[in-house]
Coordinates of all heavy atoms in Angstrom, one line a residue:
M1 N 44.1 -53.0 -32.1 CA 44.4 -51.8 -32.7 C 43.2 -51.2 -33.4 O 42.4 -52.0 -34.0 CB 45.5 -52.0 -33.8 CG 45.8 -50.8 -34.6 SD 47.4 -51.1 -35.5 CE 48.2 -49.6 -35.2
P2 N 42.9 -49.9 -33.3 CA 41.7 -49.3 -33.9 C 41.8 -49.4 -35.4 O 42.8 -49.4 -36.0 CB 41.8 -47.9 -33.4 CG 42.7 -47.9 -32.3 CD 43.6 -49.0 -32.5
I3 N 40.6 -49.4 -36.0 CA 40.5 -49.3 -37.5 C 40.7 -47.9 -37.8 O 40.2 -47.0 -37.2 CB 39.1 -49.8 -37.9 CG1 38.9 -51.3 -37.6 CG2 38.9 -49.5 -39.4 CD1 37.5 -51.8 -37.8
G4 N 41.4 -47.6 -38.9 CA 41.8 -46.2 -39.2 C 40.8 -45.5 -40.2 O 40.2 -46.2 -41.0
R5 N 40.6 -44.3 -40.0 CA 39.8 -43.4 -40.9 C 40.5 -42.1 -41.1 O 41.3 -41.7 -40.2 CB 38.4 -43.1 -40.3 CG 37.5 -44.3 -40.0 CD 36.9 -44.8 -41.3 NE 36.1 -45.9 -41.0 CZ 36.6 -47.2 -41.0 NH1 37.8 -47.4 -41.2 NH2 35.8 -48.2 -40.8
S6 N 40.3 -41.4 -42.2 CA 40.9 -40.1 -42.4 C 39.9 -39.1 -42.7 O 38.9 -39.3 -43.3 CB 41.9 -40.2 -43.6 OG 43.0 -41.1 -43.3
L7 N 40.2 -37.8 -42.3 CA 39.3 -36.7 -42.7 C 40.2 -35.5 -42.8 O 41.3 -35.4 -42.2 CB 38.2 -36.5 -41.6 CG 38.6 -36.2 -40.2 CD1 38.8 -34.8 -40.0 CD2 37.5 -36.7 -39.3
S8 N 39.8 -34.5 -43.6 CA 40.5 -33.3 -43.7 C 39.6 -32.1 -43.3 O 38.4 -32.1 -43.6 CB 40.9 -33.1 -45.2 OG 41.8 -34.1 -45.6
L9 N 40.1 -31.2 -42.6 CA 39.4 -30.0 -42.1 C 40.0 -28.8 -42.7 O 41.2 -28.5 -42.5 CB 39.4 -30.0 -40.6 CG 38.9 -31.2 -39.9 CD1 39.1 -31.0 -38.4 CD2 37.4 -31.3 -40.1
A10 N 39.3 -28.0 -43.4 CA 39.8 -26.7 -43.9 C 39.6 -25.7 -42.7 O 38.8 -26.0 -41.8 CB 39.0 -26.3 -45.1
R11 N 40.2 -24.5 -42.8 CA 40.0 -23.6 -41.7 C 38.6 -23.1 -41.6 O 38.3 -22.6 -40.5 CB 41.0 -22.4 -41.9 CG 40.9 -21.6 -43.2 CD 42.0 -20.7 -43.3 NE 42.6 -21.0 -44.6 CZ 43.4 -20.3 -45.2 NH1 43.7 -19.1 -44.8 NH2 43.9 -20.6 -46.4
S12 N 37.8 -23.1 -42.6 CA 36.4 -22.7 -42.4 C 35.4 -23.7 -42.7 O 34.2 -23.5 -42.4 CB 36.1 -21.4 -43.3 OG 36.3 -21.8 -44.7
L13 N 35.7 -24.8 -43.3 CA 34.8 -25.9 -43.6 C 35.5 -27.2 -43.5 O 36.6 -27.4 -44.1 CB 34.2 -25.7 -45.0 CG 33.2 -26.8 -45.4 CD1 32.0 -26.8 -44.5 CD2 32.8 -26.6 -46.9
A14 N 34.9 -28.2 -42.9 CA 35.6 -29.5 -42.7 C 34.9 -30.5 -43.6 O 33.7 -30.4 -43.9 CB 35.4 -30.0 -41.2
S15 N 35.6 -31.5 -44.0 CA 35.0 -32.6 -44.8 C 35.7 -33.9 -44.4 O 36.8 -34.0 -43.9 CB 35.3 -32.4 -46.3 OG 36.7 -32.4 -46.6
I16 N 34.9 -35.0 -44.6 CA 35.4 -36.3 -44.2 C 35.4 -37.2 -45.4 O 34.5 -37.3 -46.2 CB 34.4 -37.0 -43.1 CG1 34.4 -36.1 -41.9 CG2 34.9 -38.4 -42.7 CD1 33.4 -36.6 -40.8
A17 N 36.5 -38.0 -45.5 CA 36.7 -38.9 -46.6 C 35.8 -40.1 -46.4 O 35.5 -40.4 -45.2 CB 38.1 -39.4 -46.7
S18 N 35.4 -40.8 -47.4 CA 34.5 -42.0 -47.3 C 35.2 -43.1 -46.5 O 36.4 -43.4 -46.8 CB 34.2 -42.5 -48.7 OG 33.5 -41.6 -49.4
P19 N 34.6 -43.6 -45.5 CA 35.2 -44.6 -44.6 C 35.1 -46.0 -45.2 O 34.3 -46.2 -46.1 CB 34.4 -44.5 -43.3 CG 33.0 -44.1 -43.8 CD 33.3 -43.2 -45.0
T20 N 35.9 -46.9 -44.7 CA 35.7 -48.3 -45.1 C 34.9 -49.0 -44.0 O 34.5 -48.4 -43.0 CB 37.1 -49.0 -45.2 OG1 37.8 -48.9 -44.0 CG2 37.9 -48.4 -46.3
S21 N 34.6 -50.3 -44.2 CA 33.8 -50.9 -43.2 C 34.5 -51.1 -41.8 O 35.7 -51.0 -41.8 CB 33.4 -52.3 -43.7 OG 34.5 -53.1 -43.9
T22 N 33.7 -51.3 -40.8 CA 34.3 -51.5 -39.5 C 33.7 -52.8 -38.9 O 32.7 -53.3 -39.4 CB 33.9 -50.3 -38.5 OG1 32.5 -50.2 -38.4 CG2 34.5 -49.0 -39.0
T23 N 34.2 -53.2 -37.8 CA 33.8 -54.4 -37.1 C 33.2 -54.0 -35.7 O 33.8 -53.3 -35.0 CB 34.9 -55.4 -36.9 OG1 35.5 -55.7 -38.1 CG2 34.4 -56.7 -36.1
Y24 N 32.0 -54.5 -35.4 CA 31.3 -54.2 -34.2 C 32.2 -54.5 -33.0 O 32.9 -55.6 -33.0 CB 30.0 -54.9 -34.1 CG 29.4 -54.8 -32.7 CD1 28.8 -53.6 -32.3 CD2 29.4 -55.8 -31.8 CE1 28.3 -53.4 -31.0 CE2 28.8 -55.7 -30.5 CZ 28.3 -54.5 -30.2 OH 27.7 -54.3 -28.9
G25 N 32.3 -53.6 -32.1 CA 33.1 -53.8 -30.9 C 34.5 -53.4 -31.0 O 35.3 -53.4 -30.0
Q26 N 35.0 -53.0 -32.2 CA 36.3 -52.6 -32.4 C 36.4 -51.1 -32.4 O 35.6 -50.4 -33.0 CB 36.9 -53.2 -33.7 CG 38.4 -52.9 -33.9 CD 38.9 -53.7 -35.1 OE1 38.2 -54.3 -35.9 NE2 40.2 -53.7 -35.2
A27 N 37.4 -50.5 -31.8 CA 37.6 -49.1 -31.8 C 37.9 -48.6 -33.2 O 38.4 -49.3 -34.0 CB 38.7 -48.7 -30.8
V28 N 37.5 -47.3 -33.4 CA 37.7 -46.7 -34.7 C 38.6 -45.5 -34.5 O 38.3 -44.6 -33.7 CB 36.4 -46.3 -35.4 CG1 36.7 -45.6 -36.7 CG2 35.5 -47.5 -35.6
A29 N 39.8 -45.4 -35.1 CA 40.7 -44.3 -35.0 C 40.4 -43.4 -36.2 O 40.4 -43.8 -37.4 CB 42.1 -44.7 -35.0
I30 N 40.2 -42.1 -36.0 CA 39.9 -41.1 -37.0 C 41.0 -40.1 -36.9 O 41.2 -39.4 -35.9 CB 38.5 -40.5 -36.9 CG1 37.5 -41.6 -37.0 CG2 38.4 -39.4 -37.9 CD1 36.1 -41.1 -36.9
T31 N 41.8 -39.9 -38.0 CA 42.8 -38.9 -38.1 C 42.3 -37.7 -38.8 O 41.8 -37.8 -39.9 CB 44.0 -39.5 -38.8 OG1 44.5 -40.6 -38.1 CG2 45.2 -38.5 -38.9
A32 N 42.4 -36.6 -38.1 CA 42.0 -35.3 -38.7 C 43.2 -34.5 -39.1 O 44.2 -34.5 -38.4 CB 41.2 -34.5 -37.6
T33 N 43.1 -33.9 -40.3 CA 44.2 -32.9 -40.7 C 43.5 -31.6 -41.0 O 42.4 -31.6 -41.5 CB 44.9 -33.4 -41.9 OG1 44.0 -33.7 -43.0 CG2 45.7 -34.7 -41.6
V34 N 44.1 -30.5 -40.6 CA 43.6 -29.2 -40.8 C 44.6 -28.4 -41.7 O 45.8 -28.5 -41.5 CB 43.4 -28.5 -39.4 CG1 43.0 -27.0 -39.6 CG2 42.4 -29.2 -38.6
S35 N 44.0 -27.7 -42.7 CA 44.8 -26.9 -43.5 C 44.5 -25.4 -43.2 O 43.4 -25.1 -43.2 CB 44.5 -27.2 -45.0 OG 45.2 -26.4 -45.9
P36 N 45.6 -24.7 -43.0 CA 47.0 -25.0 -43.1 C 47.5 -25.7 -41.9 O 46.9 -25.7 -40.8 CB 47.6 -23.6 -43.2 CG 46.7 -22.7 -42.5 CD 45.3 -23.2 -42.7
S37 N 48.6 -26.3 -42.1 CA 49.2 -27.2 -41.0 C 49.6 -26.4 -39.8 O 49.8 -27.0 -38.7 CB 50.4 -28.0 -41.5 OG 51.4 -27.1 -41.9
G38 N 49.6 -25.1 -39.8 CA 49.9 -24.3 -38.7 C 48.8 -24.1 -37.7 O 48.9 -23.5 -36.6
A39 N 47.6 -24.5 -38.2 CA 46.4 -24.4 -37.3 C 46.6 -25.2 -36.0 O 47.2 -26.3 -36.0 CB 45.1 -24.8 -38.0
T40 N 46.1 -24.7 -34.9 CA 46.2 -25.3 -33.6 C 44.9 -25.5 -33.0 O 43.9 -24.9 -33.5 CB 47.2 -24.6 -32.7 OG1 46.6 -23.3 -32.5 CG2 48.6 -24.4 -33.2
G41 N 44.8 -26.2 -31.9 CA 43.5 -26.3 -31.2 C 42.9 -27.7 -31.2 O 43.7 -28.6 -31.3
T42 N 41.6 -27.8 -31.1 CA 40.9 -29.0 -30.9 C 40.0 -29.4 -32.0 O 39.4 -28.5 -32.6 CB 40.1 -28.9 -29.6 OG1 41.0 -28.6 -28.5 CG2 39.4 -30.2 -29.3
V43 N 39.9 -30.7 -32.3 CA 38.9 -31.2 -33.3 C 38.0 -32.1 -32.5 O 38.5 -32.9 -31.7 CB 39.6 -32.0 -34.4 CG1 38.6 -32.7 -35.3 CG2 40.5 -31.1 -35.2
E44 N 36.7 -31.9 -32.6 CA 35.7 -32.8 -32.0 C 35.1 -33.7 -33.1 O 34.8 -33.2 -34.2 CB 34.6 -32.0 -31.4 CG 35.0 -31.2 -30.1 CD 33.8 -30.5 -29.5 OE1 32.8 -30.3 -30.2 OE2 33.9 -30.1 -28.4
L45 N 34.8 -34.9 -32.8 CA 34.1 -35.8 -33.7 C 32.7 -35.9 -33.0 O 32.6 -36.2 -31.8 CB 34.7 -37.2 -33.7 CG 36.2 -37.1 -34.3 CD1 36.8 -38.5 -34.2 CD2 36.2 -36.6 -35.7
R46 N 31.7 -35.7 -33.8 CA 30.3 -35.6 -33.3 C 29.3 -36.6 -34.0 O 29.4 -36.7 -35.3 CB 29.8 -34.2 -33.5 CG 30.6 -33.2 -32.7 CD 30.1 -31.8 -33.0 NE 30.9 -30.8 -32.4 CZ 30.8 -29.5 -32.6 NH1 29.9 -29.1 -33.5 NH2 31.5 -28.6 -31.9
E47 N 28.5 -37.2 -33.3 CA 27.3 -37.9 -33.8 C 26.1 -37.2 -33.4 O 25.7 -37.2 -32.2 CB 27.3 -39.4 -33.3 CG 26.2 -40.1 -33.9 CD 26.2 -41.6 -33.6 OE1 26.8 -42.0 -32.5 OE2 25.6 -42.4 -34.3
G48 N 25.5 -36.5 -34.3 CA 24.4 -35.6 -34.0 C 25.0 -34.5 -33.1 O 26.0 -33.9 -33.4
G49 N 24.3 -34.2 -32.0 CA 24.8 -33.2 -31.0 C 25.8 -33.8 -30.0 O 26.2 -33.1 -29.1
T50 N 26.1 -35.1 -30.1 CA 27.0 -35.7 -29.0 C 28.4 -35.8 -29.5 O 28.7 -36.3 -30.6 CB 26.4 -37.1 -28.7 OG1 25.1 -37.0 -28.3 CG2 27.3 -37.8 -27.6
V51 N 29.3 -35.3 -28.7 CA 30.7 -35.4 -28.9 C 31.2 -36.9 -28.6 O 31.0 -37.3 -27.5 CB 31.6 -34.4 -28.1 CG1 33.1 -34.6 -28.3 CG2 31.2 -33.0 -28.5
V52 N 31.7 -37.6 -29.6 CA 32.1 -39.0 -29.4 C 33.6 -39.1 -29.3 O 34.1 -40.2 -29.1 CB 31.5 -39.9 -30.4 CG1 30.0 -40.0 -30.2 CG2 31.9 -39.5 -31.8
G53 N 34.4 -38.1 -29.6 CA 35.8 -38.1 -29.6 C 36.4 -36.7 -29.8 O 35.8 -35.9 -30.4
T54 N 37.6 -36.5 -29.2 CA 38.3 -35.2 -29.4 C 39.8 -35.5 -29.6 O 40.3 -36.6 -29.1 CB 38.1 -34.3 -28.2 OG1 38.7 -34.9 -27.0 CG2 36.7 -33.9 -28.0
C55 N 40.5 -34.6 -30.2 CA 41.9 -34.7 -30.3 C 42.5 -33.3 -30.4 O 41.8 -32.3 -30.8 CB 42.4 -35.6 -31.4 SG 41.8 -35.2 -33.1
I56 N 43.7 -33.1 -30.0 CA 44.5 -31.8 -30.0 C 45.4 -31.9 -31.2 O 46.2 -32.8 -31.4 CB 45.3 -31.6 -28.7 CG1 44.3 -31.7 -27.5 CG2 46.0 -30.3 -28.8 CD1 43.2 -30.7 -27.4
L57 N 45.3 -30.8 -32.0 CA 46.2 -30.7 -33.2 C 47.6 -30.5 -32.9 O 48.0 -29.8 -32.0 CB 45.7 -29.6 -34.1 CG 44.4 -29.8 -34.8 CD1 43.9 -28.4 -35.3 CD2 44.5 -30.8 -35.9
S58 N 48.5 -31.2 -33.6 CA 49.9 -30.9 -33.6 C 50.4 -31.0 -35.0 O 50.2 -32.0 -35.7 CB 50.6 -32.0 -32.7 OG 52.0 -31.9 -32.8
A59 N 51.0 -29.9 -35.5 CA 51.5 -29.8 -36.9 C 50.3 -30.0 -37.8 O 50.4 -30.7 -38.9 CB 52.6 -30.8 -37.2
G60 N 49.1 -29.6 -37.4 CA 47.9 -29.7 -38.3 C 47.2 -31.0 -38.4 O 46.4 -31.2 -39.2
A61 N 47.6 -32.0 -37.5 CA 46.9 -33.3 -37.5 C 46.7 -33.8 -36.1 O 47.4 -33.4 -35.2 CB 47.8 -34.3 -38.3
C62 N 45.8 -34.7 -36.0 CA 45.5 -35.4 -34.7 C 44.7 -36.6 -34.9 O 44.0 -36.8 -36.0 CB 44.9 -34.5 -33.7 SG 43.2 -33.9 -34.1
T63 N 44.7 -37.5 -34.0 CA 43.9 -38.8 -34.1 C 43.1 -39.0 -32.9 O 43.6 -38.8 -31.7 CB 44.9 -40.0 -34.3 OG1 45.7 -39.8 -35.4 CG2 44.1 -41.3 -34.4
A64 N 41.8 -39.3 -33.1 CA 40.9 -39.6 -32.0 C 40.4 -41.0 -32.2 O 40.2 -41.4 -33.3 CB 39.7 -38.6 -32.0
T65 N 40.2 -41.7 -31.1 CA 39.7 -43.0 -31.1 C 38.3 -43.0 -30.5 O 38.0 -42.5 -29.4 CB 40.6 -44.0 -30.3 OG1 41.9 -44.0 -30.9 CG2 40.1 -45.4 -30.3
I66 N 37.4 -43.6 -31.3 CA 36.0 -43.7 -30.9 C 35.8 -45.2 -30.5 O 36.1 -46.1 -31.2 CB 35.0 -43.4 -32.0 CG1 35.2 -41.9 -32.4 CG2 33.6 -43.6 -31.5 CD1 34.3 -41.6 -33.6
D67 N 35.3 -45.4 -29.3 CA 35.1 -46.7 -28.7 C 33.8 -46.8 -28.1 O 33.2 -45.8 -27.6 CB 36.2 -47.0 -27.7 CG 36.4 -48.5 -27.4 OD1 35.8 -49.3 -28.1 OD2 37.1 -48.8 -26.4
G68 N 33.2 -48.0 -28.1 CA 31.9 -48.2 -27.4 C 30.7 -47.8 -28.1 O 29.6 -47.6 -27.5
L69 N 30.8 -47.7 -29.5 CA 29.5 -47.3 -30.2 C 28.6 -48.6 -30.2 O 29.1 -49.7 -30.3 CB 29.9 -47.0 -31.7 CG 30.7 -45.7 -31.9 CD1 31.1 -45.5 -33.3 CD2 29.8 -44.5 -31.4
A70 N 27.4 -48.3 -30.1 CA 26.4 -49.4 -30.2 C 26.4 -50.0 -31.6 O 26.8 -49.3 -32.6 CB 25.0 -48.9 -29.9
A71 N 25.9 -51.2 -31.8 CA 25.8 -51.8 -33.1 C 24.9 -50.9 -34.0 O 23.9 -50.3 -33.5 CB 25.2 -53.2 -33.0
G72 N 25.1 -50.8 -35.3 CA 24.3 -50.1 -36.2 C 25.1 -49.0 -36.9 O 26.3 -49.0 -36.9
V73 N 24.4 -48.2 -37.6 CA 25.0 -47.2 -38.5 C 25.2 -45.9 -37.6 O 24.3 -45.5 -36.9 CB 24.2 -46.9 -39.7 CG1 24.7 -45.8 -40.5 CG2 24.0 -48.2 -40.5
H74 N 26.3 -45.2 -37.8 CA 26.6 -44.0 -37.1 C 27.1 -43.0 -38.0 O 28.1 -43.2 -38.7 CB 27.7 -44.2 -36.0 CG 27.3 -45.2 -34.9 ND1 26.5 -44.9 -33.8 CD2 27.4 -46.6 -34.9 CE1 26.3 -45.9 -33.1 NE2 26.8 -47.0 -33.7
A75 N 26.5 -41.8 -38.1 CA 26.9 -40.7 -39.0 C 27.7 -39.8 -38.1 O 27.3 -39.2 -37.2 CB 25.7 -40.0 -39.6
I76 N 29.0 -39.7 -38.5 CA 30.0 -38.9 -37.7 C 30.4 -37.7 -38.5 O 30.8 -37.8 -39.6 CB 31.2 -39.8 -37.4 CG1 30.9 -41.1 -36.7 CG2 32.2 -38.9 -36.5 CD1 30.2 -40.9 -35.3
G77 N 30.4 -36.6 -37.8 CA 30.9 -35.3 -38.4 C 32.1 -34.8 -37.6 O 32.3 -35.4 -36.5
A78 N 32.7 -33.8 -38.0 CA 33.9 -33.3 -37.3 C 33.8 -31.8 -37.2 O 33.2 -31.1 -38.1 CB 35.2 -33.7 -38.0
A79 N 34.4 -31.2 -36.2 CA 34.4 -29.8 -36.0 C 35.7 -29.4 -35.5 O 36.3 -29.9 -34.5 CB 33.3 -29.4 -34.9
Y80 N 36.3 -28.4 -36.3 CA 37.6 -27.8 -35.8 C 37.1 -26.6 -35.0 O 36.4 -25.7 -35.5 CB 38.4 -27.4 -37.1 CG 39.5 -26.4 -36.8 CD1 40.5 -26.7 -35.8 CD2 39.6 -25.2 -37.4 CE1 41.5 -25.9 -35.6 CE2 40.6 -24.3 -37.1 CZ 41.6 -24.6 -36.2 OH 42.6 -23.8 -35.9
L81 N 37.6 -26.5 -33.8 CA 37.1 -25.5 -32.9 C 37.8 -24.1 -32.9 O 37.5 -23.3 -32.1 CB 37.1 -26.0 -31.4 CG 36.3 -27.3 -31.2 CD1 36.3 -27.7 -29.8 CD2 34.9 -27.2 -31.7
A82 N 38.7 -23.9 -33.9 CA 39.3 -22.7 -34.1 C 40.5 -22.4 -33.2 O 40.6 -23.1 -32.2 CB 38.3 -21.5 -34.1
D83 N 41.3 -21.5 -33.6 CA 42.3 -21.0 -32.7 C 42.4 -19.5 -32.9 O 41.4 -18.9 -33.4 CB 43.7 -21.6 -33.0 CG 44.2 -21.4 -34.5 OD1 43.7 -20.5 -35.1 OD2 45.1 -22.1 -34.9
G84 N 43.4 -18.8 -32.4 CA 43.4 -17.4 -32.5 C 43.6 -16.8 -33.9 O 43.4 -15.6 -34.1
T85 N 43.9 -17.7 -34.9 CA 44.1 -17.2 -36.2 C 43.1 -17.8 -37.2 O 42.7 -17.0 -38.1 CB 45.5 -17.7 -36.7 OG1 46.5 -17.3 -35.8 CG2 45.9 -17.3 -38.1
Y86 N 42.6 -19.0 -37.1 CA 41.8 -19.6 -38.0 C 40.3 -19.8 -37.5 O 40.2 -20.1 -36.3 CB 42.3 -21.0 -38.5 CG 43.7 -20.8 -39.1 CD1 44.8 -21.2 -38.4 CD2 43.8 -20.2 -40.3 CE1 46.1 -21.0 -39.0 CE2 45.1 -20.0 -40.9 CZ 46.2 -20.4 -40.2 OH 47.5 -20.2 -40.7
R87 N 39.4 -19.7 -38.4 CA 38.0 -19.9 -38.0 C 37.6 -21.3 -37.8 O 38.3 -22.2 -38.3 CB 37.1 -19.3 -39.1 CG 37.2 -17.8 -39.3 CD 36.3 -17.4 -40.4 NE 36.6 -18.1 -41.7 CZ 36.0 -18.0 -42.8 NH1 35.0 -17.2 -42.9 NH2 36.4 -18.6 -43.9
A88 N 36.6 -21.5 -37.0 CA 36.0 -22.9 -36.8 C 35.5 -23.4 -38.1 O 35.0 -22.7 -39.0 CB 35.0 -22.9 -35.7
G89 N 35.5 -24.7 -38.3 CA 34.9 -25.4 -39.4 C 34.2 -26.7 -39.0 O 34.6 -27.3 -38.0
V90 N 33.1 -27.0 -39.6 CA 32.3 -28.2 -39.2 C 31.9 -28.9 -40.5 O 31.6 -28.4 -41.5 CB 31.0 -27.7 -38.5 CG1 30.1 -28.9 -38.2 CG2 31.3 -26.9 -37.3
T91 N 32.0 -30.3 -40.4 CA 31.6 -31.1 -41.5 C 30.1 -31.5 -41.3 O 29.6 -31.5 -40.2 CB 32.3 -32.5 -41.5 OG1 32.0 -33.2 -40.4 CG2 33.8 -32.3 -41.7
P92 N 29.4 -31.8 -42.4 CA 28.2 -32.5 -42.2 C 28.4 -33.9 -41.6 O 29.6 -34.4 -41.7 CB 27.6 -32.5 -43.6 CG 28.8 -32.5 -44.5 CD 29.8 -31.7 -43.8
S93 N 27.4 -34.5 -41.1 CA 27.6 -35.9 -40.6 C 27.5 -36.9 -41.8 O 26.6 -37.6 -41.9 CB 26.5 -36.2 -39.6 OG 26.7 -35.3 -38.5
D94 N 28.6 -36.9 -42.6 CA 28.6 -37.7 -43.8 C 29.5 -38.9 -43.7 O 29.6 -39.7 -44.7 CB 28.8 -36.9 -45.0 CG 30.2 -36.2 -45.0 OD1 30.9 -36.3 -44.0 OD2 30.5 -35.5 -46.0
A95 N 30.3 -39.1 -42.6 CA 31.1 -40.3 -42.5 C 30.2 -41.3 -41.8 O 29.9 -41.1 -40.6 CB 32.4 -40.0 -41.7
V96 N 29.9 -42.4 -42.4 CA 29.1 -43.4 -41.8 C 30.0 -44.6 -41.4 O 30.7 -45.1 -42.3 CB 28.0 -43.9 -42.8 CG1 27.2 -45.0 -42.2 CG2 27.1 -42.7 -43.2
I97 N 30.0 -44.9 -40.1 CA 30.8 -46.1 -39.7 C 29.9 -47.1 -39.0 O 28.7 -46.7 -38.6 CB 31.9 -45.6 -38.7 CG1 31.4 -44.9 -37.5 CG2 32.9 -44.9 -39.5 CD1 32.4 -44.5 -36.5

């Protein structure tokens, strides 16, 4: 079972809650929530310019699993890609796993 992480995405700016420790070789599940909950579309999890996970929002939330990260520190950010109503939002890469 993946280790869980949580993050919140506003309609114009995303932020990530401080993660707990992880174990090398174990998948990491990151749950994204977007406010307002009526927002739809896709959330990307990014390490630098590389997309390492995606999920599709349902009722303002989704979960992406990141697997296969190399040993070491990884700074993960998130991007809400917008929908027809809400603007895109991006977090800085401040979640370290």
Side-chain angles (χ1 to χ4, degrees):
M1 174 168 228
I3 297 172
R5 300 285 179 271
S6 295
L7 57 87
S8 295
L9 302 173
R11 60 190 122 160
S12 62
L13 179 65
S15 62
I16 298 177
S18 299
T20 58
S21 63
T22 61
T23 301
Y24 172 70
Q26 189 170 10
V28 177
I30 299 180
T31 299
T33 55
V34 175
S35 178
S37 63
T40 61
T42 302
V43 174
E44 290 182 343
L45 301 174
R46 300 174 179 172
E47 182 174 23
T50 303
V51 175
V52 295
T54 62
C55 56
I56 305 298
L57 291 166
S58 175
C62 64
T63 300
T65 300
I66 300 175
D67 197 12
L69 293 174
V73 176
H74 300 274
I76 306 295
Y80 167 57
L81 301 184
D83 62 14
T85 304
Y86 302 107
R87 296 180 300 180
V90 178
T91 65
S93 296
D94 60 358
V96 178
I97 57 175

